[in-house]
Amino acid sequence: MDSFSAALAKQEILAWWSTERARVDRDCRDAAENYRQIAGKSVDELTLMELIRGGEKRKAVEEQLRSRLNVFNRRMERSLQETCVASISRIEGVEFEHSLLSEAAVLAGTGVTAAGSLGLAVVATGVATTTTVTTVLGIFSAGTVVTFSWPVFAVAAVGATALAVVSTRMQGYAAERLKSNLKEKIGRSIEAALIGDNNKGETKSTRQSLLELLDEARDIRVRAIGTWQEPE
């Protein structure tokens, strides 16, 4: 492969990488705002007693939010995997059946990257290898699952007897303050999970994890171009 073609391919890979990084950033920020609003509406429906002592409705706020975050992560990983496959097909020249993508990703995610072990229906045009393809697929199958700590849902030690001696007006004021504080804390937790930049060894956010995966995919593809050979 001549140097001009290799340089052009590298530029196209970098263009793909830049576009996908911008999309990840945008989608994670949009999701954070969307889930913050959804959680806020759920908190507004809680009673004062549920805010203070817990219960199924408050637990549901936590479970639903955790579920939404994990679904979002899986959807983003799948989307990046698919756009990467399309980019590889267009630039490096490897095509394979879309229906085998999931199977390939699962196997690649386990470390099985040998072309013969994957059984992919690959038609190579002489520029990319199936090992490169499946290695890239594998990094997008790592399972970016949110490990969400929920100190924001800690139960306040206030009993029904104490509440009974507080006026209705004061109870209403207390409920609004608790809801406001809880929504603020949940919002910060959502932002940390989806778009935070953790540089102290803490759990990485979805955005940070996916951007690092994109960087790794870029490096793998660019390095592979350096091994291109002229087709015989």
Side-chain angles (χ1 to χ4, degrees):
M1 183 63 61
D2 61 76
S3 59
F4 176 78
S5 296
L8 181 61
K10 288 180 181 179
Q11 289 301 314
E12 291 180 337
I13 289 171
L14 292 176
W16 162 80
W17 165 77
S18 179
T19 298
E20 291 304 292
R21 279 182 62 92
R23 182 171 71 90
V24 164
D25 182 74
R26 180 183 66 250
D27 287 358
C28 286
R29 292 183 187 280
D30 288 347
E33 177 60 22
N34 182 38
Y35 296 149
R36 185 188 65 78
Q37 292 184 13
I38 291 173
K41 292 178 180 178
S42 298
V43 169
D44 283 335
E45 296 174 356
L46 298 175
T47 66
L48 178 58
M49 189 61 71
E50 287 167 339
L51 286 165
I52 293 175
R53 302 188 65 183
E56 291 301 315
K57 287 184 65 176
R58 197 176 72 176
K59 184 178 180 181
V61 176
E62 171 187 350
E63 292 176 346
Q64 290 170 6
L65 183 52
R66 191 190 306 273
S67 175
R68 287 190 176 98
L69 291 172
N70 285 328
V71 168
F72 173 78
N73 287 343
R74 289 193 295 271
R75 178 163 56 82
M76 287 297 297
E77 286 178 334
R78 175 73 177 191
S79 175
L80 288 176
Q81 193 179 78
E82 290 178 343
T83 63
C84 188
V85 165
S87 177
I88 289 174
S89 176
R90 181 177 61 83
I91 299 170
E92 287 98 323
V94 169
E95 298 178 355
F96 53 91
E97 294 179 11
H98 182 78
S99 61
L100 295 177
L101 176 58
S102 295
E103 178 184 353
V106 170
L107 291 173
T110 65
V112 182
T113 58
S117 301
L118 287 170
L120 289 175
V122 178
V123 181
T125 60
V127 293
T129 67
T130 54
T131 299
T132 299
V133 174
T134 53
T135 299
V136 173
L137 289 182
I139 69 173
F140 288 123
S141 307
T144 311
V145 177
V146 173
T147 52
F148 220 151
S149 175
W150 291 93
V152 292
F153 285 94
V155 177
V158 178
T161 302
L163 286 177
V165 300
V166 178
S167 69
T168 302
R169 180 179 178 182
M170 288 301 297
Q171 287 186 22
Y173 174 75
E176 290 305 312
R177 284 293 301 273
L178 286 173
K179 288 178 182 179
S180 178
N181 291 340
L182 183 55
K183 285 189 285 187
E184 183 179 348
K185 291 178 181 179
I186 291 175
R188 289 200 299 266
S189 295
I190 290 173
E191 289 186 0
L194 287 179
I195 61 177
D197 291 317
N198 302 320
N199 300 314
K200 300 179 181 179
E202 302 172 0
T203 303
K204 295 177 182 177
S205 67
T206 297
R207 173 183 173 276
Q208 188 173 9
S209 296
L210 294 179
L211 291 181
E212 290 180 2
L213 291 179
L214 278 170
D215 291 350
E216 186 177 354
R218 172 205 60 197
D219 293 343
I220 292 171
R221 295 178 65 185
V222 169
R223 284 197 302 268
I225 287 178
T227 66
W228 280 11
Q229 301 292 328
E230 288 284 357
E232 297 179 357

